[in-house]
Amino acid sequence: MFSLFSSRFRRPLVAWFRRHGRSLPWRETADPYAILVSEFMLQQTQVATVLPYYERWLARFPDFAALARADESAVLHAWQGLGYYARARNLHATARAVRENFHGVLPRDAATISTLPGVGRYTAGAIASFAFDQAEPIVDANIARLLSRLTNLHTAIDTAAGRDRLWQTATALLPRSGGRLHNSALMELGALVCLPRRPLCAQCPVRQFCAATNPAELPRKKTRRHIVRLDESHAFVLCRKRVLLEQSAARWRGMWILPRLETAPRAQPLLRLDFPFTHHRITLSVFAQPYSPNERQSWISLGVLDRLPLPSPHRRALAQLLPRQKLCSTFSGA
Ligand code: SF4
C-alpha cells in the first residue's frame, strides 16, 4: 500500500502537472494583486468565463491603488456579467483596506490575508501559496472532490465533519516548501482528470494511491436545496430617448434595473425571461406601464446606458425591448 502522505505521492502529481497543466494568465504571474483578482473572479465561475474579464480588469485597474481610487459604479460596471456582485464589492473593499492598513502592499501570511473583506480560508491559502509560494493548504471544489476520492471519504463534505477531514488531508499532504506548485497540481488534477461524474482514472498519475472504491459516487453531499421559483414584475418606461431605471438597494445593490412593480398588472408583458439567482429561478416580466418615478429612479439617456452597471437579465431585457419600442411609451410625472 502506497502512503498518500509522502513524497512518493507528490512526485508523480507534480510531474503530471508540469506536463499537462494549462497555461493560465494567473499562473504566469507572481503579482499578488493579479492573483487576488483571479481568485475573487474564479469563486463560483468557470475559467473560460473569467479569462476575458480578468484581462480587461487588469487593464482598467492594474494595481491596488487604481482599484482603491475607483468609484463603486465603475467597479460594478467592470464586473458586469460575472454575477455574484458581492465579490466585486469585496475586492474593491480589499483594495482600500490594503491601501489604508498595509501601505498598499498585500500581507504575505494567510492569517492576515484572511482578515481582508471577502477573503475566507480558501482564498487566503490560495493567495499565500500562489503569490508567495507558501506551503498553505487549500480546499476548493476540485480539490475537495479529489481528496474525498483519494481517501474514500463517505462523510458529506458540506458538513463540519466533512470539511474538517478535507482540510486535515490537504494539510497532511503539503510539502515543506513549494506550495504554489503543489496546490496548482492538486487543483488541476481535480479539474482535468478527477472529473465529477466520470473520473479518468486510467490517466490518473496518482491512481496507485487512490482508495476510492466507487469514485463516481464521491464526494457525498447533504441533500441539495430545492430551487425556488419567483415571479418578478418590472416596468419599461421610455420617453425622449431616455429610459426610466431604478438604482437597486437590495439584490444587485448599486446597479441599475428596470423599475420594480409591487404587483403584476393585468396585461400581457412586453417580455418575459428566466434567469437563475443563487437557489432561485426567477421569471422576469416586463410591462409597459404608466408610472410615477420615485426618488430611487432616474431618467437615463440611452447614450450612456453602456457605461452604467446593469445586471445581465436587465441588460438583456433592454437589448430586446429598445429596438422594438416607439421613443415615447406611457409614463407620468417625467
Ligand atoms: S484514481 Fe480516479 S478517483 Fe482516484 S484520484 Fe485518480 S482520477 Fe480521482
Side-chain angles (χ1 to χ4, degrees):
M1 177 74 179
F2 295 100
S3 169
L4 189 56
F5 306 108
S6 73
S7 58
R8 294 181 68 183
F9 168 79
R10 291 191 291 270
R11 229 175 279 132
L13 171 74
V14 164
W16 171 86
F17 177 69
R18 288 191 199 280
R19 199 146 167 225
H20 298 284
R22 291 166 293 179
S23 165
L24 298 170
W26 44 87
R27 287 192 180 145
E28 311 298 324
T29 178
D31 174 8
Y33 170 75
I35 288 168
L36 180 100
V37 168
S38 73
E39 286 302 331
F40 271 74
M41 287 188 170
L42 287 163
Q43 291 165 15
Q44 296 160 354
T45 306
Q46 296 190 336
V47 166
T49 307
V50 165
L51 282 168
Y53 281 90
Y54 175 79
E55 304 287 1
R56 279 199 301 269
W57 186 278
L58 291 185
R60 190 161 178 189
F61 310 116
D63 50 32
F64 283 114
L67 182 55
R69 270 196 311 273
D71 63 33
E72 185 180 73
S73 180
V75 170
L76 293 174
H77 183 259
W79 198 271
Q80 184 176 274
L82 264 182
Y84 298 100
Y85 290 88
R87 294 179 296 172
R89 288 192 196 91
N90 281 329
L91 182 52
H92 194 205
T94 283
R96 290 185 167 173
V98 168
R99 177 184 66 186
E100 274 138 43
N101 304 335
F102 301 103
H103 310 289
V105 179
L106 191 68
R108 297 173 69 90
D109 67 292
T112 312
I113 297 170
S114 71
T115 64
L116 293 165
V119 176
R121 186 175 181 183
Y122 161 77
T123 306
I127 294 164
S129 60
F130 298 146
F132 303 118
D133 203 20
Q134 295 185 17
E136 283 290 338
I138 57 171
V139 179
D140 72 338
N142 286 323
I143 293 182
R145 184 172 59 255
L146 174 68
L147 298 186
S148 72
R149 289 171 174 169
L150 283 169
T151 58
N152 204 25
L153 176 67
H154 283 244
T155 311
I157 61 162
D158 49 354
T159 61
R163 276 192 290 274
D164 281 354
R165 287 284 301 278
L166 291 175
W167 280 94
Q168 284 161 11
T169 306
T171 305
L173 281 178
L174 281 174
R176 280 206 196 89
S177 60
R180 178 182 177 126
L181 186 58
H182 174 79
N183 284 338
S184 301
L186 281 180
M187 238 179 193
E188 197 74 332
L189 189 62
L192 300 185
V193 175
C194 198
L195 301 174
R197 274 176 288 280
R198 285 200 197 160
L200 308 174
C201 300
Q203 300 170 28
C204 180
V206 293
R207 60 187 173 277
Q208 67 268 44
F209 301 90
C210 184
T213 46
N214 194 349
E217 282 187 357
L218 296 174
R220 295 249 165 105
K221 288 192 181 165
K222 287 187 296 189
T223 328
R224 284 187 171 278
R225 271 214 278 186
H226 286 301
I227 299 291
V228 177
R229 297 207 66 99
L230 289 178
D231 291 307
E232 297 184 350
S233 304
H234 293 260
F236 176 65
V237 197
L238 179 70
C239 194
R240 299 190 203 106
K241 298 191 179 176
R242 295 177 307 158
V243 64
L244 189 66
L245 294 182
E246 171 177 319
Q247 196 159 29
S248 181
R251 183 193 312 145
W252 301 312
R253 179 164 51 86
M255 301 185 82
W256 292 87
I257 59 173
L258 294 160
R260 288 168 208 275
L261 297 172
E262 290 301 325
T263 51
R266 289 167 184 262
Q268 274 298 316
L270 296 169
L271 173 116
R272 217 174 237 144
L273 55 86
D274 277 7
F275 64 94
F277 191 85
T278 61
H279 65 292
H280 296 100
R281 185 86 206 163
I282 299 173
T283 300
L284 168 75
S285 300
V286 185
F287 297 87
Q289 183 73 355
Y291 206 83
S292 299
N294 65 32
E295 71 284 356
R296 291 202 64 82
Q297 296 166 352
S298 301
W299 290 100
I300 304 291
S301 171
L302 298 184
V304 303
L305 265 185
D306 276 352
R307 301 203 291 274
L308 282 187
L310 270 78
S312 296
H314 288 255
R315 186 169 288 284
R316 278 208 317 275
L318 279 168
Q320 291 182 42
L321 288 168
L322 286 171
R324 48 169 143 125
Q325 296 303 311
K326 298 185 297 246
L327 280 183
C328 232
S329 56
T330 48
F331 74 101
S332 62

